[in-house]
Amino acid sequence: MNGSVALVTGASRGIGRAIAERLAADGVEIAVHYNSDKAGAEETLERIGGRGFLVGAELGVPDDVDEVFGQLSEGLSGRSLGILVNNAAAPPAGPLETDTVDAFDRLFAVNVRAPYFLIQRLLPVLADDGRIVSISSAATRMANPVQTSFAMTKGAVETMTLTLAQELGRRGITVNAVSPGATRTEANGAFFETPGLVDFVTRQTALERLGRGEDVAEVVAFLASDAARWVTGQTVDATGGLFLGPRFA
Ligand code: NAP
């Protein structure tokens, strides 16, 4: 991976920032993508010793991928892209009772349409032995009614992963996904303050703690590395064993 360039979407904070830092530690130059939080993206860039450049663009709106492509091409200046990490996503829109068509469409535009067409747009600059890693969610394998439409978007990401792996394999490109579970980040810290929540999640996790961005980033780094050259079309669970089965004590 040394000397390669990775685009990490949503790298201004949270899991995306952890992925940027982890890949940078492997010698990868990072295109640090952000939407509203330029200061956060600048901090990510600073944390990786400035080895990269910023790409600012809202996803899920018309011309989003063209905007990313334009800024990325400038930063690449003729080099190819080695790794694409589709990490940016909109948060759950609530249960069926209160979900709206607008919120649903927005979720699908950001979480599904954007990564899909970003891959299409970036294929000409993606290296022939390149890597695509998308961040899914454990929400696809457990029933959590407050996240139905969100889980549906991640299900689509996993299906995209499987089918694009088949299509892009002929170019040596691997396509995989990583599924985090309950992962504490700067943005959701307040959510985990909900009384009893951390205890509950911890008790339902085989490894008995909340996840950290770094836990997910390690798995992404593996899939992005040469060591994972024979792994494609997979969704790797990185939840510490969240809801593997009943835990009575
Ligand atoms: P986060 O802290 O909320 O950060 C989201 C990132 O995505 C930010 O950099 C944000 O950019 C960017 N983003 C959001 N909407 C965007 C849009 N419309 N256009 C462009 N960029 C946008 O998220 P996270 O918790 O680190 O989650 C990262 C990934 O892991 C997501 O795919 C999420 O679904 C998945 N995941 C997280 C958890 C968890 O417990 N944290 C669990 C399962 C799955 P700005 O800040 O610059 O606006």
Tab-separated table of all heavy atoms in Angstrom, residues 60-65 113:
chain	number	residue	atom	x	y	z
A	60	GLY	N	-25.166	12.725	-2.189
A	60	GLY	CA	-26.619	12.564	-2.174
A	60	GLY	C	-27.351	13.718	-2.808
A	60	GLY	O	-28.562	13.853	-2.638
A	61	VAL	N	-26.609	14.569	-3.526
A	61	VAL	CA	-27.215	15.702	-4.237
A	61	VAL	C	-26.764	15.624	-5.704
A	61	VAL	O	-25.784	14.938	-6.019
A	61	VAL	CB	-26.769	17.058	-3.620
A	61	VAL	CG1	-27.296	17.197	-2.200
A	61	VAL	CG2	-25.249	17.200	-3.646
A	62	PRO	N	-27.488	16.321	-6.596
A	62	PRO	CA	-27.086	16.260	-8.010
A	62	PRO	C	-25.630	16.684	-8.194
A	62	PRO	O	-25.145	17.577	-7.511
A	62	PRO	CB	-28.043	17.264	-8.673
A	62	PRO	CG	-29.233	17.313	-7.775
A	62	PRO	CD	-28.712	17.117	-6.383
A	63	ASP	N	-24.948	16.041	-9.099
A	63	ASP	CA	-23.550	16.345	-9.443
A	63	ASP	C	-22.546	16.045	-8.328
A	63	ASP	O	-21.389	16.465	-8.393
A	63	ASP	CB	-23.382	17.823	-9.866
A	63	ASP	CG	-24.268	18.159	-11.059
A	63	ASP	OD1	-24.495	17.266	-11.903
A	63	ASP	OD2	-24.754	19.302	-11.131
A	64	ASP	N	-22.995	15.322	-7.281
A	64	ASP	CA	-22.085	15.049	-6.163
A	64	ASP	C	-20.822	14.309	-6.605
A	64	ASP	O	-19.701	14.705	-6.251
A	64	ASP	CB	-22.801	14.287	-5.025
A	64	ASP	CG	-23.538	13.017	-5.478
A	64	ASP	OD1	-23.548	12.711	-6.684
A	64	ASP	OD2	-24.110	12.332	-4.594
A	65	VAL	N	-20.992	13.274	-7.417
A	65	VAL	CA	-19.808	12.483	-7.763
A	65	VAL	C	-18.889	13.242	-8.727
A	65	VAL	O	-17.668	13.056	-8.705
A	65	VAL	CB	-20.177	11.075	-8.314
A	65	VAL	CG1	-20.957	10.279	-7.271
A	65	VAL	CG2	-20.933	11.143	-9.600
A	113	ARG	N	-27.003	5.504	-3.453
A	113	ARG	CA	-26.771	6.081	-4.789
A	113	ARG	C	-25.362	6.682	-4.891
A	113	ARG	O	-24.655	6.455	-5.891
A	113	ARG	CB	-27.839	7.152	-5.074
A	113	ARG	CG	-27.880	7.591	-6.528
A	113	ARG	CD	-28.941	8.661	-6.731
A	113	ARG	NE	-28.498	9.961	-6.234
A	113	ARG	CZ	-29.307	10.980	-5.968
A	113	ARG	NH1	-30.607	10.860	-6.137
A	113	ARG	NH2	-28.832	12.131	-5.536
